[in-house]
């Protein structure tokens, strides 16, 4: 079968945008290959009703395999997808990226001895096969990746594939019995929720307080939120910290994140890598706090403060509050 199998992540009765993008892309490519796009979902059956699963048909999926198992964890999905591929003979598995997509894709690749390409930004059909396009050399060039394995795994860059409703289609829903591997059930979900800052549109903010690895830990963002609150601005972040799970991807500034041009961009604990700079260099005023006087960010800052952000940021917040009379 020349089909494509996609994983879709759901949360509180909806599939996330990244997954819907993957389903749309899978359907487009399957159409060009003359096959079908199928989807695997895994979770508690009560949280995955027929109509929710069938709604993936609007994005071009023809069939949804619904596995009953732990939600939001990688290994159970690897088991489910490996089973479907071995029984149905899909030629490709496609993921929308993000931490879970990377983990499942890597696990599936190992399980099936498949070829894999990550950080894919585009996929095209050539001679009846898929070719993944992956930016390389700091995104200055694009490499073509061809698959020689029986199954090819494609892991997109987060939100690289656009979610497109293709019509009123309704996917068939089939329950899937999966015998999970013993190790797949060893992890359990302790808590789940929206990442801090995911609801703020940083592109509209006049003042951005951005944090990097110099914050030391996720909790470091609490002090930045306080400063941003005092200034009436929003919080942004570098890729290093969003990849580490310290802050929301939606707050990432840079080459693979957002491009912003606020009146004030205050960078705390950010080195100033070129991939970050391209997303914020249009800011009217750049203020950087870094303990390393030689950090590259000082080369393009209007004002540089050399010192420990743990001491400077709380004092700055206090000073702003005092100035504003609160
Ligand atoms: C293809 C590609 C795309 C990328 N896209 C992006 C992108 O979109 N956005 C992005 O941001 N990055 C991107 N990157 C990653 C980029 O190259 C850098 O790795 C990243 O920006 C570094 O993040 P950082 O400044 O938080 O961390 P680091 O480079 O580790 O810098 C941390 C800084 O904090 C300072 N510091 C440490 N402790 C303190 C303290 N107590 N007080 C004050 N300062 C302190 C240090 O001196 C250091 O300068 C990309 C990379 C690649 C290869």
């Amino acid at each position: 079968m020349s089909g494509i199998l996609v994983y879709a992540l759901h949360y509180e009765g909806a599939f996330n945008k990244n997954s819907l993008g993957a389903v749309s892309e899978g359907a487009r490519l399957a159409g060009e290959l003359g096959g079908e796009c199928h989807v695997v979902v895994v979770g508690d059956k009560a949280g995955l009703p027929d109509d929710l699963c069938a709604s993936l048909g609007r994005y071009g999926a023809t069939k949804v395999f619904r596995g009953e198992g732990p939600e939001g964890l990688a290994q159970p999905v690897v088991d489910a997808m490996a089973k479907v591929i071995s029984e149905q003979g899909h030629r490709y598995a496609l993921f929308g990226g993000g931490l879970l997509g990377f983990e499942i894709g890597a696990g599936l690749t190992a399980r099936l001895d498949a070829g894999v390409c990550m950080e894919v930004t585009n996929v095209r059909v050539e001679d009846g096969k898929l070719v993944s396009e992956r930016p390389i050399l700091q995104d200055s060039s694009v490499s073509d990746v061809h698959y020689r394995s029986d199954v090819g795994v494609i892991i997109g860059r987060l939100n690289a594939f656009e979610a497109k409703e293709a019509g009123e289609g309704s996917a068939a829903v089939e329950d899937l019995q999966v015998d999970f591997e013993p190790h797949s059930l060893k992890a359990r979900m302790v808590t789940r929720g929206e990442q801090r800052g995911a609801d703020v549109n940083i592109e509209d903010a006049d003042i951005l307080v951005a944090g990097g690895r110099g914050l030391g830990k996720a909790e470091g963002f609490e002090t930045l939120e306080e400063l941003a609150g005092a200034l009436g601005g929003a919080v942004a972040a570098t890729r290093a910290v969003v990849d580490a799970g310290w802050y929301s991807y939606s707050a990432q500034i840079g080459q693979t994140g957002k491009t912003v041009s606020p009146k004030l961009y205050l960078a705390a604990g950010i080195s100033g890598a070129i991939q970050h700079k391209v997303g914020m260099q249009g800011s009217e005023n750049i203020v950087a706090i870094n303990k390393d006087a030689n950090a590259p960010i000082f080369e393009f800052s209007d004002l540089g403060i050399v010192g420990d952000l743990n001491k400077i940021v709380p004092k700055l917040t206090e000073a702003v509050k005092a100035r504003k009379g609160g």
Side-chain angles (χ1 to χ4, degrees):
M1 180 204 199
S2 56
I4 299 182
L5 190 64
V6 177
Y7 168 65
L9 173 69
H10 70 288
Y11 182 53
E12 291 185 343
F15 291 102
N16 73 357
K17 188 177 135 218
N18 192 38
S19 297
L20 295 175
V23 175
S24 297
E25 183 71 358
R28 177 184 76 81
L29 294 166
E32 287 188 35
L33 288 171
E36 292 182 18
C37 172
H38 296 164
V39 181
V40 162
V41 295
V42 174
D44 175 14
K45 203 168 167 185
L48 280 167
D50 285 355
D51 56 345
L52 177 65
C53 296
S55 71
L56 290 173
R58 297 211 304 268
Y59 297 86
T62 51
K63 190 184 273 189
V64 175
F65 293 94
R66 175 174 54 194
E68 173 114 33
E71 238 172 83
L73 297 175
Q75 285 303 321
V77 182
V78 172
D79 291 346
M81 292 186 80
K83 180 181 162 102
V84 174
I85 289 175
S86 67
E87 288 176 358
Q88 310 270 331
H90 296 85
R91 273 173 69 195
Y92 300 98
L94 187 140
F95 300 88
L99 293 179
L100 196 61
F102 275 97
E103 206 180 330
I104 300 167
L108 190 66
T109 299
R111 184 77 63 86
L112 301 177
D113 199 16
V116 63
C117 184
M118 300 189 161
E119 291 269 342
V120 174
T121 52
N122 190 39
V123 188
R124 62 175 202 273
V125 177
E126 215 175 86
D127 300 328
K129 292 182 180 167
L130 295 189
V131 180
S132 289
E133 296 178 11
R134 181 193 200 281
I136 53 167
L137 302 172
Q138 299 183 355
D139 286 6
S140 60
S141 193
V142 175
S143 67
D144 285 351
V145 177
H146 300 252
Y147 296 89
R148 288 185 301 192
S149 47
D150 292 341
V151 179
V153 176
I154 301 146
I155 307 176
R157 207 172 249 188
L158 187 73
N159 295 328
F161 306 131
E162 198 187 336
K164 285 187 201 145
E165 286 203 46
E168 291 300 308
S170 176
V173 182
E174 188 175 313
D175 283 323
L176 182 71
Q177 292 308 318
V178 192
D179 293 326
F180 294 112
E181 300 283 340
H183 66 260
S184 301
L185 300 172
K186 289 217 162 142
R188 86 191 152 83
M189 183 66 71
V190 179
T191 183
R192 200 169 163 176
E194 281 298 311
Q195 280 179 300
R196 194 193 286 136
D199 51 342
V200 179
N201 186 0
I202 53 173
E203 283 148 307
D204 293 341
D206 276 342
I207 297 176
L208 283 176
V209 178
R213 204 148 34 191
L215 289 171
K217 53 184 188 299
E219 289 70 30
F221 273 97
E222 285 163 20
T223 55
L224 294 196
E225 280 177 344
E226 240 191 283
L227 176 56
L231 287 166
V235 174
T238 64
R239 176 163 165 180
V241 295
V242 301
D243 277 349
W246 293 2
Y247 214 71
S248 163
Y249 271 109
S250 60
Q252 184 193 320
I253 305 295
Q255 187 180 316
T256 45
K258 290 180 177 160
T259 301
V260 291
S261 47
K263 293 200 168 97
L264 171 65
Y265 191 90
L266 196 152
I270 294 177
S271 60
I274 177 71
Q275 298 89 356
H276 187 76
K277 182 184 174 188
V278 294
M280 46 67 82
Q281 61 192 353
S283 306
E284 258 176 59
N285 297 288
I286 299 172
V287 176
I289 304 170
N290 198 304
K291 68 177 185 186
D292 175 7
N294 295 314
I297 193 142
F298 289 134
E299 289 163 22
F300 51 94
S301 295
D302 299 289
L303 177 69
I305 306 167
V306 180
D308 183 354
L309 65 89
N310 297 305
K311 293 185 183 146
I312 296 165
V313 172
K315 285 203 172 131
L316 201 50
T317 307
E318 258 175 54
V320 173
K321 281 184 179 168
R323 183 80 182 258
K324 287 191 169 177

